[in-house]
Amino acid sequence: MRVLILGAGEHASSTAHRLFRCGLTVVLTEVPAPLAVRRAVSFCSAVWEGEVVVEGVRAVHRPLAAALPAAPDCVTVVVDPDATLVEGWRPDVLVDARLLKQPGATSVAQAPLVISLGPGPCAGVDAHVVVETQRGHDLGRLIESGCALPDTGVPGTIGGHDTTRVLRAPVAGVVRGMRTIGDPVAAGETVAMVGEVPVPSQIAGVVRGLLRDGTLATPGLKLADVDPRGEPRYCHTLSDKSRTLSGSVLEAILAHGRR
């Protein structure tokens, strides 16, 4: 079974990780300059590094023209912002994990099974199945009619913190990290610079995610994530939320095959 995943950030990568381990052939698409904050667990890092390994699964960046057939021994990552592989490869399953939070990004006509993560798309029109991504009782629920819960704009609570754990660019400029992923930080300590403007952490913890040096940020762009639990291991392993979502995608695929 061939699965094409749009996006190669945290949740897309966790989904690819699980599906690949279950024996499916997986290709992920990305933009030329990915904006994933949790780079340590995102296969989009292969765009810069050539290849990366996340919890034992290897992802290799291949040029779009040479992406097919997909390699059987790794996850394939291609720069394909227009998702031309949807037509070029004709996957059995299309998963939109870009979290664009808007309808119309995909269509049920694009593949035998189209799955979309998060708010915006409508089941039955944009996707056959929508996966709930909002933390809480319904996290991971498969929706076959209607839409996921609306986006609240508030990050999920971790260790008692939500908005205060996320750092955003105060101005436009080039990002330069003053700490690296996994480093401990104190409240008020500078995590990154945007141009010449320092961006301090609002809380104490460890740097769970940080944009790559050289990224051009726009005002308000998410550029770092501080985990107040203070456990460096969490920065380099898949999160509970991403594992839940990947399991839901696998369930949707197996349920579709059974039907």
Side-chain angles (χ1 to χ4, degrees):
M1 182 175 289
R2 301 180 301 179
V3 182
L4 180 63
I5 301 177
L6 306 182
E10 177 185 4
H11 298 322
S13 299
S14 182
T15 298
H17 187 281
R18 186 179 293 258
L19 298 184
F20 177 80
R21 281 176 49 82
C22 290
L24 282 66
T25 300
V26 183
V27 175
L28 301 96
T29 69
E30 251 300 348
V31 297
L35 295 175
V37 168
R38 291 210 67 207
R39 291 181 291 116
V41 290
S42 295
F43 288 137
C44 68
S45 293
V47 172
W48 306 298
E49 307 296 336
E51 65 176 72
V52 294
V53 177
V54 175
E55 289 201 32
V57 172
R58 185 170 65 104
V60 176
H61 173 227
R62 302 178 69 189
L64 181 57
L68 305 177
D73 60 342
C74 66
V75 169
T76 300
V77 180
V78 298
V79 173
D80 183 18
D82 297 323
T84 60
L85 280 183
V86 174
E87 290 298 325
W89 194 37
R90 296 195 176 277
D92 301 299
V93 181
L94 175 65
V95 180
D96 188 355
R98 295 171 294 181
L99 293 162
L100 299 178
K101 302 174 182 177
Q102 61 188 29
T106 57
S107 163
V108 293
Q110 290 180 293
L113 176 61
V114 180
I115 304 169
S116 189
L117 272 58
C122 181
V125 179
D126 305 305
H128 296 96
V129 180
V130 173
V131 180
E132 180 59 67
T133 58
Q134 190 172 129
R135 289 183 183 272
H137 179 75
D138 286 327
L139 176 65
R141 183 179 294 275
L142 300 182
I143 301 166
E144 298 183 344
S145 177
C147 306
L149 294 171
D151 180 31
T152 65
V154 178
T157 301
I158 294 179
H161 296 272
D162 44 41
T163 56
T164 54
R165 68 179 178 83
V166 175
L167 307 185
R168 298 187 180 275
V171 297
V174 176
V175 176
R176 176 165 54 95
M178 304 303 290
R179 294 292 180 271
T180 60
I181 294 174
D183 282 352
V185 290
E189 189 173 351
T190 299
V191 174
M193 302 286 292
V194 179
E196 299 302 318
V197 180
V199 183
S201 176
Q202 301 180 69
I203 61 173
V206 296
V207 180
R208 192 169 75 134
L210 180 64
L211 285 180
R212 185 173 184 263
D213 279 4
T215 300
L216 182 60
T218 54
L221 179 70
K222 181 178 177 180
L223 59 86
D225 177 7
V226 176
D227 189 335
R229 295 171 294 185
E231 176 52 70
R233 183 176 65 87
Y234 295 168
C235 307
H236 300 279
T237 52
L238 300 170
S239 70
D240 54 346
K241 179 177 179 178
S242 68
R243 290 181 190 276
T244 297
L245 298 179
S246 69
S248 296
V249 172
L250 177 60
E251 178 188 345
I253 293 172
L254 295 178
H256 177 79
R258 184 181 182 189
R259 295 193 189 108

